[in-house]
Amino acid sequence: MTWSPLLNPPEFPAPEYDRLGSRLGAVLETANDVVVVPGEAIVALEAVATDLGAPGYPVLNVVTSPYGKLFGQWLESSGSSVLNLFSTPGLPVTIADIEEAVDRFSPRAIAIVHGEAASGIVNPLAEIAGFARSRGLLTIVDAVASVGAEPLPVDDWGLDIVVIGPQKALLGPAGISAVAVSQTGWAALAANAAPRADLSSVSLVDIKRDWLDSDRSVIPGTPAPLELWALDAALARFEAIGLQESINAHQTAKRAVRAMVRSLGLELWAADDDASALTTTVVVPVGIDPRDLARTARGSFGALVSTGVGPGAERLVRVNHTAVAASFGSVAANVVGLLAALRRHGFAGPDRGALDAVVAAYAAAP
């Protein structure tokens, strides 16, 4: 019989499950409740929308990616009137757009994706959160592609509902997620949640009832021990690195890749202040197919390069510098692989100084 450590794993202890909430809270810099959701982050996002959406509860939903669009659809399915605020395709929303939409629509809440790995941008969440607080609006944030790589002080910014997945900068499993909820957030979820079966797989209110409000001696539902042990291990590794150190590493990787792209005379898709720390998006030179370029970079040179995703990203490739790919060695290998692929496809721009730009960015890093 073949033995595998993945078969018949031990149960995950309820006290350690309870500790996962506080450990994730430390990553998010929050004292709010943090609940673990058994499923990938899209399940947690749908759970939020399902509980929060209700007739008479209008929501301003910022759409800068397919995930933002989905969230608006889930809210509408639950009865909310939704104003979808679309940014210029592939680019961040502006605070001016938010202010105008709020004045026009009078929502009760604002929903937004913080970081967009698909197009390599971040939305101005700190500004938006400050504006929301000034208007008494609930804030719902998809932070899957920003947690651990971008500043995300949940309590300082006054964010009410924040959904995260550990599979990106935390380098954890994709089949589990978590949601941080303020007391204001819980009140809104409880007030809006529609009557349903005794147990729903997409209800944060049920998770609160069955875990937070219980004696926490039994993990609710049927726990997935492999995912829980993997999350536990990912958090241990992340804690050994440190939150600020992880953010610094991702920000340094971003600066290094962007410096290299500029040294080649290529166009960066996002402005410096709008750029993601997980991926850098590059406008592919005319005459080169982005799909062919990404295939060559990955297949021939092992570079973590892929095509952009979604409207506005058709001419883009993404250089991945997430988690372990934010290290100096990975970034150097990826930029050399991208350069080699460009050369193979006929790019004739300058290449002197490309690695020097990467070295300089890391030499100046904190």
Side-chain angles (χ1 to χ4, degrees):
M1 180 181 293
T2 302
W3 179 86
S4 169
L6 300 178
L7 299 175
N8 195 30
E11 291 184 1
F12 196 80
E16 289 304 308
Y17 184 83
D18 195 28
R19 256 187 12 102
L20 288 176
S22 60
R23 294 168 73 189
L24 289 164
V27 174
L28 292 167
E29 300 182 78
T30 183
N32 292 338
D33 291 330
V34 179
V35 294
V36 175
V37 176
E40 62 173 311
I42 200 167
V43 176
L45 288 164
E46 186 173 0
V48 171
T50 300
D51 278 346
L52 187 67
Y57 196 84
V59 180
L60 175 62
N61 182 53
V62 179
V63 180
T64 51
S65 73
Y67 292 105
K69 183 178 179 181
L70 273 174
F71 195 78
Q73 291 172 344
W74 290 324
L75 285 167
E76 288 178 327
S77 295
S78 295
S80 276
S81 57
V82 176
L83 176 62
N84 286 312
L85 176 61
F86 291 88
S87 68
T88 301
L91 292 174
V93 71
T94 69
I95 187 65
D97 290 337
I98 295 281
E99 292 171 350
E100 187 278 331
V102 167
D103 288 340
R104 174 163 48 93
F105 185 60
S106 299
R108 300 275 299 279
I110 298 175
I112 189 166
V113 178
H114 186 196
E116 298 283 14
S119 55
I121 61 98
V122 287
N123 282 304
L125 182 56
E127 283 185 275
I128 292 168
F131 172 72
R133 287 198 308 274
S134 73
R135 296 295 188 92
L137 304 178
L138 194 81
T139 47
I140 308 108
V141 180
D142 173 349
V144 174
S146 60
V147 62
E150 310 281 355
L152 186 61
V154 168
D155 286 356
D156 284 353
W157 289 357
L159 305 176
D160 292 300
I161 301 175
V162 180
V163 177
I164 64 169
Q167 71 268 27
K168 294 188 183 293
L170 304 187
L171 202 62
I176 197 165
S177 51
V179 188
V181 187
S182 71
Q183 291 307 305
T184 302
W186 281 126
L189 293 169
N192 291 357
R196 55 170 65 89
D198 289 343
L199 177 65
S200 169
S201 60
V202 285
S203 173
L204 294 184
V205 172
D206 283 6
I207 293 175
K208 182 177 187 295
R209 177 198 65 201
D210 296 338
W211 177 249
L212 292 180
D213 297 342
S214 75
D215 63 6
R216 306 191 190 185
S217 61
V218 178
I219 301 173
T222 305
L226 285 175
E227 298 293 334
L228 290 168
W229 285 116
L231 176 58
D232 176 70
L235 285 173
R237 175 173 51 197
F238 188 83
E239 289 157 355
I241 295 168
L243 173 60
Q244 191 57 53
E245 288 73 13
S246 175
I247 292 172
N248 290 344
H250 284 88
Q251 297 295 326
T252 299
K254 175 179 80 171
R255 288 192 294 271
V257 174
R258 293 175 69 81
M260 170 268 185
V261 171
R262 288 193 173 102
S263 76
L264 298 178
L266 296 175
E267 180 184 353
L268 289 158
W269 175 246
D272 287 347
D273 290 343
D274 299 334
S276 166
L278 293 186
T279 59
T280 292
T281 38
V282 183
V283 181
V284 175
V286 175
I288 301 177
D289 188 314
R291 294 166 298 180
D292 292 340
L293 179 64
R295 274 194 292 266
T296 301
R298 293 184 76 94
S300 297
F301 304 108
L304 299 179
V305 175
S306 57
T307 54
V309 178
E314 298 83 1
R315 291 295 309 162
L316 306 180
V317 292
R318 300 177 294 167
V319 181
N320 183 352
H321 38 82
T322 304
V324 293
S327 68
F328 173 75
S330 292
V331 169
N334 287 332
V335 298
V336 169
L338 175 60
L339 177 56
L342 283 164
R343 284 285 183 247
R344 182 168 291 184
H345 285 278
F347 174 68
D351 59 10
R352 284 176 170 250
L355 272 180
D356 288 342
V358 173
V359 170
Y362 275 90

